[in-house]
Amino acid sequence: MRKSTSFILLIIFILLAIFGCSSTEVSSNDTTGPTFVDPIKDYDTVDETSTDGFIIKAKKYDYQDNNVIIMNVENQTDDNYTVTVDLTYYDDSGKEITKESQSFEGFAANWQKYFMFKPDRAFSSYEYKITTEDFDGECYGNTITYKYDGVEEGRAFLGVDENGEPIGMGKAIYGRIPFKYEYPGILDILYYGIIFDNKGEICAIGSGMSYMESPYVEQNFGIKVVLGTKDSVEWPENLKGETAGIFILDKIGVGIFPPPKP
């Protein structure tokens, strides 16, 4: 009987050890953080050849009687770069309307970033060119993480009436994109946020700037989508159901703008 009991206890110990290892492995995987999932579907272009090691995706949107380009640029190399994107816009006849250029220093290895091009006019088509230069400084962009927390009701300033008098505070619908940075120092950042409705169309664009002096502390970034009245706000059909949001880092670094006054 003692031998049988010992044998059963040995089996239990082995099973516990096996399941314990399995449980630890799952927990370890859970702490690696969420995998990036791009909410933008059906890009106009997907280019894997224009710049070695980079994947560039671009899409044109309608927004407030004008057009906006959202570009997803992914560095799949093990090197850091300064990335410059040049865009040219054309009308229906193919005539050039205007040009625009954006650069981002410290585009880290194996990192992804969105660019937003908003020329405040309508255009028919566009062309882009990507150029890269080696970057040997410190990269800050990949220290920023964000998530989309959906749309919810909140309070907002309602503006002024027809006589120019303040209306006061009232109800509104906000899209929430909280973010934080994991860098042991003070960083300045300029950024945009875009809220997509349940059809995948842009319904709101917001911007902000932060003097980041609290590493690892989540910052609340709210983008006003719908403005209501003092007592209520009506939810449009395009905000019911699944919506999405992205965070666009425009600039990040040390000393971009002066520190706040004490």
Side-chain angles (χ1 to χ4, degrees):
M1 178 66 75
R2 291 179 182 173
K3 291 183 179 180
S4 298
T5 302
S6 300
F7 181 71
I8 292 172
L9 290 174
L10 178 60
I11 292 176
I12 293 174
F13 176 79
I14 293 173
L15 290 174
L16 287 173
I18 293 173
F19 286 118
C21 292
S22 175
S23 176
T24 302
E25 184 177 2
V26 171
S27 175
S28 175
N29 289 339
D30 287 345
T31 59
T32 57
T35 302
F36 170 73
V37 177
D38 189 358
I40 300 176
K41 310 299 180 186
D42 302 324
Y43 280 98
D44 300 331
T45 61
V46 178
D47 192 348
E48 301 182 19
T49 60
S50 63
T51 304
D52 291 340
F54 279 76
I55 295 178
I56 298 96
K57 303 175 184 178
K59 185 170 182 176
K60 173 186 172 184
Y61 288 91
D62 297 328
Y63 182 68
Q64 295 182 345
D65 298 323
N66 294 316
N67 294 120
V68 175
I69 297 294
I70 304 300
M71 186 172 289
N72 180 351
V73 179
E74 182 181 355
N75 179 7
Q76 294 190 328
T77 76
D78 294 327
D79 299 309
N80 305 326
Y81 293 95
T82 292
V83 174
T84 299
V85 183
D86 296 297
L87 247 72
T88 305
Y89 306 98
Y90 302 93
D91 62 15
D92 291 336
S93 65
K95 181 181 178 180
E96 180 181 315
I97 300 174
T98 187
K99 292 182 177 181
E100 190 175 3
S101 181
Q102 292 183 27
S103 294
F104 190 88
E105 291 187 343
F107 202 114
N110 300 298
W111 185 60
Q112 173 273 344
K113 178 188 128 50
Y114 292 105
F115 289 82
M116 179 179 69
F117 293 88
K118 189 172 177 287
D120 293 326
R121 65 181 68 191
F123 53 90
S124 179
S125 60
Y126 63 96
E127 289 182 344
Y128 63 83
K129 178 183 177 182
I130 307 288
T131 56
T132 61
E133 297 180 14
D134 294 340
F135 179 81
D136 57 5
E138 188 168 7
C139 294
Y140 303 108
N142 58 345
T143 69
I144 298 284
T145 59
Y146 75 90
K147 61 183 178 180
Y148 175 61
D149 263 358
V151 288
E152 63 182 15
E153 291 189 18
R155 302 283 293 173
F157 177 63
L158 299 179
V160 297
D161 61 21
E162 56 186 11
N163 298 317
E165 296 295 325
I167 298 174
M169 300 296 291
K171 293 287 189 71
I173 298 174
Y174 283 89
R176 301 291 183 184
I177 308 179
F179 65 94
K180 62 182 177 179
Y181 79 107
E182 300 181 2
Y183 175 79
I186 296 174
L187 291 176
D188 301 342
I189 68 170
L190 304 173
Y191 51 89
Y192 297 96
I194 298 181
I195 306 299
F196 300 93
D197 65 15
N198 55 23
K199 297 180 181 179
E201 298 298 326
I202 295 177
C203 59
I205 297 175
S207 63
M209 56 190 296
S210 295
Y211 178 74
M212 305 280 283
E213 54 183 349
S214 301
Y216 317 106
V217 177
E218 196 168 73
Q219 310 289 315
N220 183 27
F221 181 23
I223 301 169
K224 189 166 52 182
V225 181
V226 177
L227 199 61
T229 67
K230 287 186 176 182
D231 301 317
S232 65
V233 61
E234 183 177 351
W235 280 77
E237 290 298 321
N238 67 329
L239 291 182
K240 297 176 182 178
E242 185 175 356
T243 58
I246 61 173
F247 183 89
I248 301 179
L249 184 61
D250 184 35
K251 297 186 185 306
I252 183 169
V254 178
I256 292 178
F257 41 84
K261 295 181 180 181

